[in-house]
Amino acid sequence: MDMMNDIIKQRSFLENVVNQALNIAHAYSKEVEVSVIKTTGITVSTRYEKLENVEFNSHNILDITMFRQKRKGTALSNDLHEKSIIRTIESAANIACYTSPDPYSGIADKELLAFNSMNLDLFHPINLDTKLGADLASTAEQTALNYDKRIISTEGSRFNSHFTTKVFGNSHGMLQSYTSSQHSLCCSVVASSNGIMEQNYAYTLSRSFNDLRSAEWVGQECAQRTLDHLNAKKIKTTESPVLFSAEIATSLFNHLAEAICGNNVYQKSTFLLNYLKKKIFPSWISIKEHPHILKGLGSAPFDSEGVQTLDRTIVENGVLNSWILNSYSARRIGLKTTGHADGIYNWYVSYKNLSFIELIKNMHRGLIVTSIMGQGINVITGNYSRGVSGFWVENGSIQYPVNEITIAGNLKEMFYNIVAIGCDTETRGHIHCGSVLISSMKIAGS
């Protein structure tokens, strides 16, 4: 209860800071937006079950943006005292005198703002306890190290807990705030067989500490994932179906989010430039965005411009239904902001009622991708090339692990050639989707 009272007082103080900054800044400009983000947390690391490092963090970011005759000035500070607030405002006003005027600049339209933001149950704090974090991290490590004699060393385990308060206000009279929490536990170990070593990891992540998987689960999952990749083989260059495991499949939809981001659209630097209201996936695929899921990792009542977040359909029956826009990019292309100044919220990708095992059987022969490396994505052309490792499948069953291979294709073709998405949904992030089976990709091996 004391902790909750402290957070309520802190939030009230931050709201007063934003209100004070707005009142002072209005002497310089009629278009001002002010935000404060305060993050408090702890990270506890162990190695070989012994406490290795403890980090406490508590920091503020005051962000003041003003527009003077369509000239934008932004200044930041981590000091919330009145003198610092005044200096930051003066800096923003001074910068605005020297920037070029831009007819598309300005604060968000008043009718789109979240004047009465909803409570999304995002805040589930715990006492920032070093012993608790160390016990969880060391238990995960101990479980992994004792799992199998082939587990020979550990890269460490880490527990993280933090909470963030966001306050936003602007010249339209909006002043809203919310607080969110996030907790995680991860572990990484090394296994050896026949003189060859493999490293892998596992983690759990949630808004609520009580929703985390157990430390024992993290250790067991970490160990098993590492062991599964031992004695990996190389495969010859070929072309075959590729099954992205759910954890990796989310990256495909992150690439979609980047391709339909308003900044890339107005700059004409996306391979989906002319595809709004056109088919980009098979007709059975839809992507729904729900920003108001209670306790959702991708939930938020408003974006960093104060714009109300809304449910929307990003892809409907395979057709691209919406760009994701902030106020500036929306004005550049003649539309209204979609409330995406901070990126995407909770995406739910449609799926077929197929388990991971059933997807493997349906693939019959091909590659399962369980990890990816490199940054071989060109959002302008859609060309896709990544180093990967995973498993090779024959006759509908896993034969052996594989590594040191590269897969290549084009995202436009990859999206359209999705033949199935499983029901093994990944939930530890903003994108909720199952494993994705693509009919064919080029595989470069030995």
Side-chain angles (χ1 to χ4, degrees):
M1 183 61 69
D2 289 341
M3 185 178 188
M4 288 299 295
N5 288 334
D6 289 344
I7 296 299
I8 291 170
K9 291 178 182 178
Q10 178 191 97
R11 192 158 150 183
S12 178
F13 167 73
L14 297 176
E15 288 176 351
N16 288 333
V17 167
V18 170
N19 190 49
Q20 179 186 26
L22 284 169
N23 290 333
I24 297 171
H26 284 154
Y28 296 84
S29 172
K30 295 181 179 180
E31 277 196 276
V32 182
E33 54 187 24
V34 178
S35 69
V36 173
I37 299 175
K38 181 175 181 63
T39 299
T40 303
I42 187 174
T43 300
V44 181
S45 302
T46 62
R47 190 170 174 86
Y48 290 102
E49 304 166 47
K50 295 182 179 179
L51 183 64
E52 183 177 54
N53 193 42
V54 178
E55 295 179 20
F56 287 95
N57 61 75
S58 180
H59 59 270
N60 314 299
I61 300 177
L62 170 67
D63 186 332
I64 296 175
T65 299
M66 64 176 63
F67 302 89
R68 309 177 74 185
Q69 298 178 328
K70 294 296 181 179
R71 301 173 186 266
K72 179 181 179 180
T74 297
L76 306 174
S77 175
N78 58 11
D79 186 343
L80 303 183
H81 292 94
E82 183 175 358
K83 289 183 178 179
S84 178
I85 293 172
I86 293 172
R87 285 196 301 269
T88 306
I89 291 170
E90 290 173 344
S91 295
N94 188 50
I95 291 169
C97 293
Y98 294 98
T99 57
S100 299
D102 189 332
Y104 304 104
S105 66
I107 64 176
D109 297 341
K110 184 175 182 178
E111 67 271 16
L112 301 177
L113 299 178
F115 285 99
N116 295 292
S117 61
M118 60 188 70
N119 180 3
L120 300 178
D121 194 26
L122 303 180
F123 186 43
H124 297 268
I126 61 171
N127 290 322
L128 302 179
D129 187 339
T130 302
K131 184 178 184 306
L132 172 64
D135 287 346
L136 289 169
S138 62
T139 298
E141 265 195 304
Q142 182 182 46
T143 303
L145 288 167
N146 293 338
Y147 189 81
D148 189 288
K149 63 182 180 180
R150 291 170 293 174
I151 305 292
I152 61 168
S153 67
T154 172
E155 293 296 302
S157 186
R158 184 172 68 254
F159 173 75
N160 179 278
S161 176
H162 70 268
F163 52 89
T164 300
T165 297
K166 297 182 179 181
V167 183
F168 179 86
N170 68 13
S171 301
H172 288 316
M174 178 183 173
L175 180 57
Q176 293 290 308
S177 65
Y178 68 96
T179 303
S180 60
S181 59
Q182 189 165 290
H183 315 277
S184 66
L185 175 65
C186 65
C187 181
S188 176
V189 295
V190 176
S192 177
S193 177
N194 299 320
I196 304 298
M197 292 186 289
E198 287 288 342
Q199 177 186 342
N200 219 304
Y201 68 95
Y203 73 99
T204 180
L205 172 69
S206 182
R207 292 283 188 196
S208 169
F209 175 81
N210 293 331
D211 292 336
L212 292 175
R213 303 292 293 265
S214 70
E216 290 80 5
W217 178 89
V218 172
Q220 292 170 5
E221 181 74 4
C222 175
Q224 190 59 59
R225 283 166 59 104
T226 308
L227 294 171
D228 286 345
H229 287 82
L230 281 174
N231 302 312
K233 299 180 181 180
K234 297 181 182 180
I235 58 175
K236 293 183 179 180
T237 296
T238 185
E239 189 167 331
S240 78
V242 173
L243 176 59
F244 291 82
S245 66
E247 184 178 1
I248 303 303
T250 57
S251 67
L252 298 175
F253 298 98
N254 273 320
H255 300 323
L256 170 65
E258 183 182 5
I260 64 175
C261 172
N263 290 342
N264 286 327
V265 173
Y266 84 76
Q267 292 173 6
K268 299 183 178 180
S269 57
T270 168
F271 68 96
L272 293 178
L273 180 62
N274 298 312
Y275 279 81
L276 187 64
K277 305 303 179 182
K278 293 182 182 179
K279 194 171 184 179
I280 62 170
F281 287 101
S283 58
W284 57 271
I285 293 180
S286 294
I287 302 174
K288 308 285 187 179
E289 182 174 63
H290 297 295
H292 303 153
I293 299 296
L294 298 183
K295 298 168 74 173
L297 289 168
S299 295
F302 53 85
D303 72 1
S304 59
E305 296 182 312
V307 174
Q308 172 76 55
T309 54
L310 299 171
D311 288 352
R312 65 182 67 246
T313 301
I314 304 299
V315 172
E316 185 170 20
N317 300 326
V319 175
L320 179 60
N321 205 42
S322 174
W323 302 126
I324 52 178
L325 307 169
N326 59 19
S327 294
Y328 183 80
S329 62
R331 291 166 185 152
R332 287 294 301 256
I333 58 181
L335 297 172
K336 292 286 188 180
T337 175
T338 56
H340 286 95
D342 303 320
I344 65 173
Y345 303 101
N346 301 298
W347 277 16
Y348 291 83
V349 183
S350 58
Y351 57 86
K352 297 184 176 181
N353 192 26
L354 296 169
S355 68
F356 186 62
I357 297 301
E358 289 172 320
L359 288 173
I360 294 173
K361 290 180 179 178
N362 288 355
M363 179 170 65
H364 189 69
R365 178 183 183 272
L367 174 68
I368 300 173
V369 174
T370 58
S371 67
I372 52 178
M373 295 148 277
Q375 302 294 325
I377 310 301
N378 187 325
V379 73
I380 300 175
T381 64
N383 288 338
Y384 181 98
S385 178
R386 305 292 293 271
V388 303
S389 61
F391 301 93
W392 185 252
V393 171
E394 293 279 359
N395 300 318
S397 62
I398 293 175
Q399 301 300 307
Y400 46 81
V402 295
N403 61 12
E404 297 184 21
I405 54 180
T406 301
I407 58 174
N410 184 278
L411 285 168
K412 193 184 301 181
E413 296 172 358
M414 291 165 63
F415 290 162
Y416 204 76
N417 289 334
I418 295 175
V419 295
I421 298 177
C423 59
D424 55 332
T425 304
E426 171 63 50
T427 60
R428 295 169 298 180
H430 291 204
I431 296 174
H432 296 238
C433 78
S435 298
V436 172
L437 176 58
I438 295 176
S439 60
S440 182
M441 291 186 69
K442 295 178 181 178
I443 302 172
S446 58

